[in-house]
Amino acid sequence: MSPKEGKEENGDKRNLPLDSTLKESVEKIKAQLEEMSSNFFQVNPCSDAEELKRKIILTIEKFYKDMTVLNREVEKYKLIQKNREAEIRRMRVSPQRRCLGINTLSFPKWKHVLWIFLVFYVFVIFGLTCYIIFVDSTFIIETMICKILGRQRMWQLKELLNPFLLLEVDDLLPC
């Protein structure tokens, strides 16, 4: 016997338990693969999709039913609220005002005051602009700007603008 053959025999003796465990583990894995493949083929994707579709349809139908119930309740509360508001209006309006035909609830007081203020403001602005444009066009220059700028600066401004207003600009332009 050569030393190589002895080593091979010793190696074969050592590998015997490993080979048996490897064979067992390979057989276990094959068995698991067969089980998984059989389970895989048993599952039908079409039936799963149909089942999921049925569940979705059921949830949508439940949601629709709940929404219709909620809409009915909301309509009831709106009707109750309208009735309460009508009763409050009847209580607020006195019989004397009903005879006069005045409806104070259609136009609140603060809106009425705001409307009067805006109309007054518009007429004041419109009146002042018409006065300045048609009656006295120097109103702003002679009264308002004088008070804002002062006499000295107003005089300097008049000296600066006078040639332009009198069309004597030719002397001021460069040749």
Side-chain angles (χ1 to χ4, degrees):
M1 232 194 309
S2 68
K4 289 182 182 178
E5 291 176 15
K7 287 183 183 178
E8 288 178 13
E9 287 178 15
N10 289 337
D12 288 338
K13 290 179 183 176
R14 289 181 191 163
N15 288 338
L16 281 178
L18 292 176
D19 286 340
S20 64
T21 57
L22 283 175
K23 288 180 184 179
E24 290 174 7
S25 62
V26 168
E27 289 175 8
K28 287 180 184 178
I29 291 173
K30 282 183 182 179
Q32 288 176 355
L33 283 174
E34 288 176 4
E35 287 177 20
M36 288 175 64
S37 63
S38 65
N39 289 339
F40 180 73
F41 288 116
Q42 287 176 358
V43 174
N44 188 359
C46 293
S47 65
D48 289 342
E50 289 177 11
E51 185 178 329
L52 183 62
K53 183 180 173 183
R54 280 189 221 120
K55 287 180 182 178
I56 291 173
I57 290 172
L58 288 174
T59 55
I60 290 173
E61 288 175 353
K62 286 180 184 178
F63 178 75
Y64 180 75
K65 288 177 184 177
D66 292 340
M67 290 306 294
T68 53
V69 169
L70 287 174
N71 283 336
R72 287 179 192 153
E73 290 181 12
V74 167
E75 289 174 5
K76 287 178 186 177
Y77 286 119
K78 284 183 181 178
L79 184 62
I80 291 170
Q81 186 67 25
K82 285 181 183 179
N83 291 338
R84 287 182 184 170
E85 289 176 359
E87 289 176 15
I88 291 171
R89 285 184 189 145
R90 281 187 229 130
M91 289 178 176
R92 285 186 184 170
V93 177
S94 65
Q96 296 171 352
R97 290 190 179 176
R98 282 190 203 156
C99 295
L100 295 175
I102 299 171
N103 190 359
T104 57
L105 294 176
S106 65
F107 208 64
K109 187 174 182 177
W110 68 271
K111 285 186 179 180
H112 187 67
V113 171
L114 181 66
W115 177 252
I116 291 172
F117 176 76
L118 287 176
V119 169
F120 177 75
Y121 186 68
V122 167
F123 278 120
V124 166
I125 297 296
F126 180 75
L128 283 175
T129 54
C130 287
Y131 176 75
I132 291 168
I133 292 172
F134 297 116
V135 178
D136 188 14
S137 61
T138 61
F139 173 73
I140 293 178
I141 295 172
E142 292 180 355
T143 57
M144 299 294 215
I145 295 181
C146 290
K147 292 178 183 176
I148 294 171
L149 295 177
R151 288 184 185 178
Q152 182 65 28
R153 292 196 188 229
M154 188 62 191
W155 185 256
Q156 291 172 355
L157 182 64
K158 280 184 182 180
E159 285 179 354
L160 181 70
L161 293 177
N162 195 20
F164 291 100
L165 296 174
L166 298 175
L167 296 177
E168 297 176 5
V169 181
D170 293 337
D171 296 336
L172 297 174
L173 293 174
C175 295

